Amino acid sequence: MLQEIQAMGSHAMDIYDYLLAGIDPRLKEYPLMQNPIPMSSILLCYLFFVMYLGPRIMANRKPFQLKEAMIVYNFTLVALSVFIVYEFLMSGWATTYTWRCDAVDTSDSPQALRMVRVAWLFWFSKIIELIDTMFFVLRKKHGQVTFLHIFHHSFMPWTWWWGVAYAPGGMGSFHAMVNSSVHVIMYFYYGLAAAGPRFQKFLWWKKYMTAIQLTQFVLVSLHATQYYFMDSCDYQFPMVLHLIWMYGTFFFVLFSNFWIQAYVKGKRLPKQDVKQCKNGTAVHTNGKHHENGINHGTSNGASNSSAPHENGSIHVSKMKKA
């Protein structure tokens, strides 16, 4: 029995060494890219904090406001995402790529090394974005810490580490460029939301954020689907495309369900509001404006605010009479 366990351990180490040997040598000097252990440890600590330690620490504490920190954080990510999109374009997508079958340039040319750098920077931005959930926990916005949110923030950086390690560039990087483009819009929205009530009038397009994300997954899946209809393609890592296609399709289903629950069925609203929203009645509750089943509250950096009312119950009563 002991010999069998030792044999299995030796076999596992052989597989691990084989996987490490496949990492692009141009990336081995980049932080956290020598092996998957540091990256996996960060993600495990993230899951432990947001699912257990953070809520336990905050259980008997008042929520932190963190307004200034969130404004800086969100607009910093806007700038970083703009830079990443620009670098992807200049590294191939706006210069030498065909937008169809584009292989990974494994040379040490300046443009190839530029693509390696931006591919790593995109992955590292996913590590930075783990702070999103920490803000939710520290502000006790427990309703925002959903399965979809946690899965998206933990699964994507783990899988993208392998994608960057083996295939920094080529047609597999289309996903990263599109995702960064979406994050320019998304974190700009969160930055405005964090700035306070005076910017609420500029956030009428909240529900379209989900539509933009759905469009992202459609584009990513369609681009990857090309591979299956090409007579020949010299892209070196087809497994990356298989994973991207599954990723785009899977998250399209999850985000579609979110759209239906939030904006079609109105299940993200308080139950007493859903009936009135279906009847076309505008309601002000808990500092949020609900109209026609759409929640005009805020997420991430947003603070719950509304126009002042002397008496919320009287206001709702008048609305019913009207």
Side-chain angles (χ1 to χ4, degrees):
M1 183 66 179
L2 180 60
Q3 291 179 343
E4 292 178 356
I5 294 175
Q6 290 176 340
M8 291 175 61
S10 177
H11 184 61
M13 288 302 299
D14 290 341
I15 294 175
Y16 180 73
D17 292 338
Y18 175 78
L19 291 174
L20 292 185
I23 295 176
D24 192 309
R26 298 172 298 177
L27 275 159
K28 290 189 176 180
E29 298 302 320
Y30 281 79
L32 303 174
M33 295 304 299
Q34 288 69 41
N35 60 71
I37 294 177
M39 169 271 298
S40 299
S41 300
I42 290 173
L43 294 177
L44 287 174
C45 290
Y46 161 78
L47 291 173
F48 177 71
F49 177 81
V50 302
M51 297 180 69
Y52 177 76
L53 182 61
R56 190 179 181 88
I57 292 173
M58 296 301 298
N60 298 314
R61 297 174 182 266
K62 292 183 178 180
F64 292 98
Q65 296 303 314
L66 303 175
K67 177 180 177 180
E68 292 76 12
M70 289 187 297
I71 293 174
V72 173
Y73 167 76
N74 286 307
F75 284 113
T76 298
L77 280 177
V78 170
L80 178 60
S81 298
V82 169
F83 178 75
I84 290 173
V85 172
Y86 175 78
E87 287 295 296
F88 270 123
L89 289 171
M90 294 299 101
S91 299
W93 288 101
T95 54
T96 58
Y97 281 18
T98 65
W99 294 65
R100 300 196 73 237
C101 177
D102 296 298
V104 178
D105 185 349
T106 58
S107 72
D108 290 327
S109 69
Q111 184 162 329
L113 293 177
R114 189 175 186 178
M115 177 62 81
V116 170
R117 182 184 67 187
V118 70
W120 175 85
L121 185 60
F122 170 77
W123 170 78
F124 189 71
S125 72
K126 302 299 118 183
I127 299 298
I128 297 174
E129 289 168 12
L130 298 179
I131 298 174
D132 285 5
T133 323
M134 295 181 184
F135 279 143
F136 287 148
V137 172
L138 295 176
R139 298 172 63 231
K140 303 184 77 168
K141 300 292 183 181
H142 304 303
Q144 302 288 355
V145 187
T146 61
F147 166 78
L148 175 59
H149 177 89
I150 294 177
F151 183 79
H152 179 72
H153 275 67
S154 56
F155 179 76
M156 187 170 183
W158 194 86
T159 54
W160 246 97
W161 187 93
W162 295 98
V164 171
Y166 285 88
M171 63 187 300
S173 63
F174 177 78
H175 170 137
M177 183 177 66
V178 173
N179 183 255
S180 296
S181 301
V182 170
H183 280 202
V184 172
I185 303 171
M186 187 177 75
Y187 283 104
F188 179 73
Y189 170 89
Y190 291 155
L192 287 180
R198 64 184 181 279
F199 290 95
Q200 295 297 308
K201 61 183 177 181
F202 301 114
L203 302 178
W204 54 267
W205 45 282
K206 176 187 177 181
K207 77 168 184 175
Y208 299 107
M209 292 294 300
T210 305
I212 292 170
Q213 290 175 313
L214 288 171
T215 303
Q216 167 193 199
F217 299 130
V218 171
L219 291 175
V220 167
S221 295
L222 286 177
H223 181 264
T225 300
Q226 293 183 99
Y227 179 80
Y228 304 112
F229 295 94
M230 294 177 183
D231 294 332
S232 63
C233 179
D234 57 355
Y235 181 71
Q236 303 96 315
F237 304 96
M239 178 58 69
V240 172
L241 295 180
H242 303 331
L243 291 173
I244 288 174
W245 187 90
M246 289 188 292
Y247 175 89
T249 304
F250 179 69
F251 276 97
F252 178 82
V253 172
L254 287 180
F255 275 78
S256 295
N257 179 66
F258 172 85
W259 173 277
I260 293 171
Q261 299 301 322
Y263 301 119
V264 177
K265 296 183 178 180
K267 288 187 176 180
R268 285 172 60 86
L269 302 180
K271 291 182 179 180
Q272 64 269 26
D273 296 343
V274 173
K275 183 177 180 180
Q276 295 181 58
C277 289
K278 288 181 178 179
N279 292 331
T281 307
V283 182
H284 290 265
T285 59
N286 299 328
K288 295 183 181 180
H289 177 206
H290 304 295
E291 185 174 5
N292 297 330
I294 299 172
N295 182 350
H296 293 271
T298 52
S299 62
N300 191 355
S303 58
N304 297 336
S305 60
S306 66
H309 303 295
E310 293 181 2
N311 188 313
S313 60
I314 294 177
H315 178 76
V316 173
S317 176
K318 289 182 178 179
M319 291 294 292
K320 289 181 178 179
K321 291 179 179 179

